[in-house]
Amino acid sequence: MKLSTSRLAAFSSALLLEGVLAATSGNFDVLTINVAGLPAILNDNGVPGDKAANAAAMGAKFSEYGIDVVQLQEDFNYHAHIYRTNTHPHRTATSGGVPFGSGLNTVSYLPWVDFRRIKWSKCSDASQSDCLTPKGFTFMRVAISSDSSTAAYVDFYNLHADAGVEPGDLTARNDNVKQVVDYIATWSKGNAVVVAGDFNSRYTRTGDTGIRDLLASENPSGPRLKDAWVELLYNNVIPQSPSSCGNPAANDLCEIVDKVFYRASPLLDLQATDVRYDTLRFLQADGNILTDHNPVLVNYTWSSGASLRQSSLFGGPHGTWFSDVPVLAGTNKPKTATITFRGGSRLDSVGLTLTDGTIFAHGGTGGSVVSLALGATEYWTQAELCSGQRNGQTRNFYIRAVTSSGRSLTAGSATSSCQTFTAPSGWQIVGFAGQDGSEVDQLAFVYAPR
């Protein structure tokens, strides 16, 4: 099997010594595919052959083609056959067959953190049995490059929207997409994003407004979402009357309901370079289709931000997501003036004040306050974090900040599980990202050039 550049970068970065910069550019590809995994007795999907055999063939092909991230929908009752032949090292555990599972799974050569399943708030049985299973979307933060001090993440969403064209279906489907938009606004603040899946939507269908709303959704820290198909094949202009595709699709210009959206961030430049319907690589030996959907493959190139970068995340996936990136993106040459922590038996809060007076503070109000004022030519360049268990959850217990002058500031209580984060040469710590509540559950450091 041929390793892609992104997997080689990720593998190499895992071998780097502490303090050495991880890969700062690379590429990866994403495939979204509805695998037609409903029980044959409920829906044969018009696909010839045995469903179990077809599922096994798809699982093998995901590995054979070396696709970095594969987003699966309708992965219900034949899930075991896909995983039996698939060799991706990172795979989500199934949530079950019909009627228990959502049918959403991911196989990947790239590791992730913070995986979640979210059920739709609305569903409709107006023309399809969409309320039969807990359909919705999944979220994961994929590390496309990472070492002990630096990292590049992309937030991946995989969804299966409500089907059908009755008024109730349209209402539910548009609400589905709005739910994803709202989730991105909260949980992907400051981050690059890829949203893929079976949207059951077409730009030319009256009433299918959700996908247009996704394109129009605001992003205070950078560019808005793009549909890779619209961007690359229609020069960012939504086509007025593209033809519907057959299966296999006659060309890539016709429209299907499976789509891939994405956006970059100040931390990560991200650009789609190719999009295509990949059906001809997913056929049975006799030439018949393996699934009733045309798979969509998108290739991306990426590079670390020129003005902002971040460390890897440390701690547990609890609390509420926060990011100083949107504010820092609008700040000219940010520099930390004062570091402020609160801590006692654990790390209660982290904060800093920039030279322009901007204040960042995350966590709770417990513990004792400690602070350190930096000199005009002094920078925060290194941090150490230690984690531990509190009420069955992983949290950050300790922090130590070290400046370019060798001065330090500590808070909380050290444990045996610790990691050091060093800003890249010529960079400094100017902010944070992570998850918090009454304490600091998860933390990453945001870097800017000195």
Side-chain angles (χ1 to χ4, degrees):
M1 180 182 64
K2 178 179 179 292
L3 286 178
S4 72
T5 303
S6 59
R7 290 199 296 283
L8 284 171
F11 179 74
S12 298
S13 67
L15 301 179
L16 295 178
L17 296 176
E18 185 175 288
V20 179
L21 186 66
T24 56
S25 64
N27 59 71
F28 63 89
D29 52 10
V30 178
L31 182 83
T32 182
I33 178 171
N34 183 314
V35 298
L38 285 166
I41 194 171
L42 295 179
N43 190 340
D44 66 7
N45 300 93
V47 179
D50 177 71
K51 279 202 166 191
N54 290 347
M58 283 186 277
K61 288 177 182 293
F62 300 150
S63 302
E64 176 188 350
Y65 302 143
I67 302 167
D68 289 301
V69 180
V70 184
Q71 302 284 44
L72 313 177
Q73 305 89 42
E74 275 193 27
D75 183 21
F76 290 116
N77 290 51
Y78 304 93
H79 167 82
H81 298 282
I82 292 177
Y83 277 23
R84 175 171 56 83
T85 59
N86 177 258
T87 59
H88 280 77
H90 306 285
R91 308 190 300 191
T92 56
T94 179
S95 56
V98 174
F100 306 104
S102 68
L104 299 172
N105 281 304
T106 301
V107 300
S108 173
Y109 284 108
L110 304 172
W112 63 72
V113 296
D114 299 355
F115 174 71
R116 303 186 191 99
R117 295 183 181 273
I118 299 93
K119 183 182 176 181
W120 296 133
S121 298
K122 288 186 180 180
C123 64
S124 170
D125 287 331
S127 60
Q128 304 285 334
S129 299
D130 286 284
C131 299
L132 176 63
T133 63
K135 288 171 62 175
F137 65 97
T138 64
F139 166 87
M140 59 175 61
R141 190 157 282 134
V142 175
I144 59 175
S145 178
S146 180
D147 66 15
S148 61
S149 292
T150 58
Y153 293 98
V154 177
D155 289 353
F156 272 73
Y157 293 80
N158 179 23
L159 66 84
H160 190 183
D162 204 281
V165 295
E166 297 297 325
D169 301 321
L170 295 171
T171 298
R173 182 158 61 248
N174 291 332
D175 189 80
N176 295 164
V177 180
K178 182 180 183 303
Q179 190 175 340
V180 174
V181 169
D182 292 344
Y183 200 92
I184 291 172
T186 299
W187 288 97
S188 293
K189 184 188 308 179
N191 292 345
V193 171
V194 171
V195 186
D198 180 355
F199 284 78
N200 275 311
S201 301
R202 301 181 192 276
Y203 290 109
T204 52
R205 182 184 293 150
T206 302
D208 255 347
T209 60
I211 49 177
R212 293 175 184 267
D213 292 341
L214 190 62
L215 292 172
S217 60
E218 295 292 336
N219 177 21
S221 63
R224 294 181 177 182
L225 286 157
K226 300 178 182 180
D227 180 332
W229 178 76
V230 172
E231 177 190 19
L232 297 180
L233 297 184
Y234 286 94
N235 197 27
N236 281 318
V237 178
I238 296 174
Q240 296 299 310
S241 56
S243 60
S244 296
C245 292
N247 190 9
N251 58 67
D252 295 330
L253 295 173
C254 56
E255 185 181 9
I256 62 176
V257 298
D258 310 85
K259 302 178 186 300
V260 182
F261 295 80
Y262 79 99
R263 78 179 189 200
S265 84
L267 296 167
L268 188 77
D269 294 324
L270 186 63
Q271 178 60 55
T273 57
D274 182 65
V275 58
R276 62 183 181 272
Y277 301 146
D278 210 16
T279 315
L280 294 181
R281 291 202 300 172
F282 288 88
L283 298 176
Q284 299 180 46
D286 61 4
N288 278 311
I289 56 176
L290 287 169
T291 173
D292 59 334
H293 284 246
N294 288 286
V296 183
L297 182 70
V298 182
N299 298 94
Y300 293 96
T301 59
W302 68 271
S303 59
S304 297
S307 58
L308 293 174
R309 296 179 185 178
Q310 75 166 84
S311 73
S312 57
L313 291 156
F314 187 84
H318 316 293
T320 302
W321 175 255
F322 63 84
S323 175
D324 296 332
V325 169
V327 174
L328 288 167
T331 303
N332 184 34
K333 295 183 178 179
K335 179 187 180 302
T336 298
T338 304
I339 306 169
T340 304
F341 301 143
R342 300 182 71 100
S345 57
R346 293 174 299 281
L347 179 60
D348 291 276
S349 73
V350 296
L352 60 81
T353 303
L354 299 177
T355 52
D356 67 0
T358 299
I359 299 174
F360 298 133
H362 307 287
T365 58
S368 301
V369 179
V370 293
S371 64
L372 179 66
L374 276 60
T377 59
E378 185 179 20
Y379 301 91
W380 183 8
T381 55
Q382 190 177 80
E384 181 185 17
L385 292 173
C386 297
S387 66
Q389 292 290 308
R390 168 68 171 169
N391 295 331
Q393 295 183 337
T394 301
R395 298 182 181 181
N396 280 288
F397 274 47
Y398 172 84
I399 189 169
R400 178 174 183 260
V402 180
T403 73
S404 57
S405 299
R407 297 196 296 156
S408 64
L409 182 70
T410 64
S413 302
T415 70
S416 59
S417 177
C418 303
Q419 185 170 322
T420 299
F421 304 85
T422 304
S425 178
W427 292 63
Q428 57 171 321
I429 298 172
V430 295
F432 310 94
Q435 297 182 50
D436 70 348
S438 60
E439 299 175 357
V440 180
D441 297 275
Q442 186 185 72
L443 194 64
F445 300 98
V446 180
Y447 306 128
R450 298 188 190 181

